[in-house]
Structure formats: C-alpha cells, structure tokens
Amino acid sequence: MPAFGLNRFDFTSPPAFAADVRRAEHLGWDYAFIPSTPLLLRDPYVNLAFAAARTERIGLGPLIVNPVMRHPAVIASSIATVAGPAPGRTMLTYGAGDTAVRLMGQRPATVARLAEAVTLTQGLLSGEEVEVPSAPRRARLTHAAPVPVWIAAGGPRTLRMAGRVADGVFIRVGRHRANLSAAVDAVRAGAAEAGRNPDGVRIGAVFHTVLGDDLERAALISRSLAAGYYEYSPRLFGPPGFEWNGPPIEELKAKVWPDFHHAADLRESGRVVSFLPDEVADAFALYGTPRMIAEQLVQALGDGLPTSVVVAHPMPAPLSGGRAPYLERFATEVIPLVRNQLGGRRPSRPGPATDFPEQSDGV
C-alpha cells in the first residue's frame, strides 16, 4: 500500500507552511513536499524546518532540488539540518531542474551531473570523507544524517542512471500502465547494471491530478497535460502505441506560455490540442470526481506495480496561497477509496522512511 504525498501547500510564509503541513498530517497525508524554485518560493529548507517543529509523523523533504542552483554540499548540509528535528522522516529528491532552472536563464543538469551530485550527497550524508575537486584534501559533513536520496525522472537514460545510484526513484510518466511498467523496468535494469538488488530501489510515482466535478473542465486540462508530457518527452507516446497527429509541438507552443503544463489557462491550452484522441488525453493525468480518480489510481497501481509513494500533484498548481479544498478533499474522499480497493492499510510511518535508521543531530 503506497504512502501519499503532496507538494502544494500554503507557501506565503514559513509559519503558514508549517500550519498547513500540520493540518495535512492530521488529515492522513504521509508526506509533505516542497518545490525548490528560488524566484517563486521562499527557501525550502527554512519552510521544512518550521514544519518539522510543528509535526510528529509526516515525512518531509524537497521535491525537487537540482545541482545547478546549489552545490550538492550545500544541499546535503541543509537537509541534514532539517533531519535534526525530524529524525527518521526526511528525504531528499534531486531532479534536472527544468522550469526552476530555466527561469534563472540556465540549463537543466545533465544525466552525468545529476548522478555525480546524488553520489556526492549520499557520501556526505552518511558521514564519509569525500574528495574535494582541485584541492589537496578530503572533506566531511560534521552534522551528517542518514537521509535517503531519491531522483525524479521520466526519460529512459535518467531512469536507468537513477536505478544505478539513487535510494529511490519518482517516475513522472503519466498513468498508462505501459509507460509505468517501462519506467520501472528501466530503473531495475540500471540497478542490475550496478550490481544492486533491483527490488532494493524504492519506486514512487508523481501524478498530475485534476480533482473536480466539472468533467468538461477536467478533460480539457487533462488534454493540455498530455501535450505537456509529449512536449518534454515524445518517447512517452511510444510504449502505449500513440501517435502525434497534429501540428508540430514547437508550432503550437507559440500559442501557449510557458508550456502545456504551466499555461495560465489550462483549459484554453487544452483546446489548442483538441485533436488528441480521448485515449491519449486519458493516459497521463488523473482527473474527474474523487471516485473516478480513485479508480484511475487503482488501475495504474494494481497488479503488483511496486509503488512506495504516490504524489498527487494538483492541477492547476499555483505557487502561492493554500490548497485547502484539495488538501482535505483528496485525503478524505480519494485516499480511503484507493486503500479500500487495494485492500491495504494506511502506512503507520511514511513508506520508505521506515527502512532507514533513526536520524540524529550529529554523526
């Protein structure tokens, strides 16, 4: 039975974030994540530290950080600091950066740079001495804490790399079983290449989620999200056997800003790709009423897909202000249906965090 996480809260101030996360904990959410987007949000680690002091059970961590905006040593130090007041319930997730990095006029991290950052961060968090480039000495993190380091990925090369080096992998490939299975296979293949036990690499899944009773609106947004997946990774149309039968995506982007996942009006951007058939629009986002979304989740996760954590990413997803209606409605109307249909119990502790030793302030 997967744990459930959310990465949209009240980001207006650290105390507001902490209060919102505390409410999520009481409602039954297992994880509270926060994006790292310097131009749009306050510092994620300050927010997480406030939340750590106000909560007792819920897992905490950034989703996602990248090695472009901060050096891995800085990231390791920050998450180890958060782990002090939240022992055994912190995690760190790396990614290439994409939107956050492009907003700063830089390029996302390469697969090689991402792998190097994860390996360095893991070494520092475990208290090892690590090589310092261009310096005749080694260094260690004096306040190391055993925080699991995950990678969020969607492309096959990054997924295989994540299987080789990460403690866990968040796959972002939509909800079609062909794409989900291909992603898990890529992670396991990478683990096997590195001589690791493929079953020892935890799997999480990020699903864009349009929760609402207006089905026409939800379906339009779902179409835009499907185009967004194609925009960033056309390969995702391959495993399900889909074809892009419309104008070139670059031509359509002239009508949508900044992209099909972040357009100001996702209904209008959905109309731009009205040529996409229903089977394509249904293959990527969760959308509709709570019962519809529960059924879609069960279909995606059933039959043995090894998923430790599900992140139900609300769409549209503003970066300021509370998400109280979604926060409460998904927790009370969707999660119980999923757990009932999958025949499992709510995790007593946040999924993967139970596999790691208790954390402390020092080494």
Side-chain angles (χ1 to χ4, degrees):
M1 180 59 56
F4 284 87
L6 182 64
N7 69 341
R8 285 297 184 271
F9 293 92
D10 187 339
F11 297 139
T12 54
S13 71
F17 175 76
D20 219 18
V21 172
R22 182 176 174 83
R23 183 163 180 264
E25 181 177 66
H26 289 164
L27 285 169
W29 288 94
D30 302 297
Y31 276 99
F33 296 114
I34 184 170
S36 180
T37 307
L39 293 179
L40 300 176
L41 295 180
R42 291 166 176 81
D43 186 271
Y45 302 101
V46 174
N47 276 295
L48 290 169
F50 269 75
R54 292 287 309 277
T55 57
E56 299 176 355
R57 178 195 62 82
I58 197 166
L60 300 168
L63 179 69
I64 57 176
V65 298
N66 66 78
V68 177
M69 296 185 300
R70 300 187 194 219
H71 190 279
V74 178
I75 292 172
S77 178
S78 295
I79 195 63
T81 302
V82 174
R89 57 188 180 101
T90 52
M91 65 186 290
L92 176 72
T93 304
Y94 268 100
D98 291 328
T99 304
V101 171
R102 290 190 173 97
L103 283 173
M104 298 179 69
Q106 300 187 56
R107 297 177 64 84
T110 63
V111 174
R113 185 175 181 182
L114 194 55
E116 181 181 358
V118 169
T119 302
L120 175 58
T121 304
Q122 288 170 323
L124 289 168
L125 289 171
S126 65
E128 298 175 6
E129 288 190 343
V130 300
E131 295 286 347
V132 179
S134 304
R137 65 184 300 273
R138 295 169 67 85
R140 62 192 295 269
L141 188 64
T142 59
H143 50 288
V147 178
V149 182
W150 286 46
I151 292 176
R157 288 182 61 234
T158 310
L159 288 165
R160 290 178 79 97
M161 175 275 291
R164 291 194 294 270
V165 302
D167 297 310
V169 185
F170 278 114
I171 55 179
R172 297 187 297 178
V173 296
R175 66 179 175 92
H176 196 285
R177 278 305 292 259
N179 277 330
L180 289 168
S181 297
V184 172
D185 289 346
V187 172
R188 288 176 163 171
E193 290 169 2
R196 307 176 71 192
N197 176 7
D199 293 331
V201 182
R202 290 300 186 111
I203 299 292
V206 178
F207 296 110
H208 290 87
T209 305
V210 188
L211 176 61
D213 299 318
D214 185 341
L215 298 187
E216 181 180 358
R217 171 183 178 273
L220 276 172
I221 294 175
S222 179
R223 265 184 169 71
S224 183
L225 298 175
Y229 276 97
Y230 181 83
E231 178 182 357
Y232 279 94
S233 185
R235 294 186 187 92
L236 292 176
F237 272 43
F242 298 151
E243 294 183 0
W244 182 267
N245 292 321
I249 190 71
E250 292 301 322
E251 178 183 321
L252 295 177
K253 282 180 65 175
K255 305 176 182 179
V256 176
W257 174 258
D259 55 44
F260 281 94
H261 276 175
H262 302 93
D265 187 341
L266 289 172
R267 288 173 296 181
E268 188 57 38
S269 57
R271 293 186 182 98
V272 171
V273 290
S274 59
F275 58 84
L276 289 175
D278 290 344
E279 62 175 350
V280 174
D282 291 348
F284 292 95
L286 305 170
Y287 74 94
T289 65
R291 184 166 297 278
M292 289 173 62
I293 288 176
E295 291 172 354
Q296 292 161 8
L297 263 175
V298 170
Q299 184 179 25
L301 302 178
D303 299 325
L305 193 76
T307 310
S308 295
V309 188
V310 167
V311 177
H313 182 65
M315 297 299 291
L319 284 173
S320 62
R323 298 294 297 163
Y326 181 94
L327 183 93
E328 181 169 355
R329 196 172 186 196
F330 194 98
T332 59
E333 298 183 45
V334 178
I335 293 177
L337 287 175
V338 174
R339 289 184 171 141
N340 181 59
Q341 291 186 52
L342 291 179
R345 295 181 298 115
R346 177 178 174 274
S348 58
R349 290 293 299 273
T354 58
D355 286 350
F356 291 84
E358 289 295 308
Q359 300 164 2
S360 62
D361 288 325
V363 227

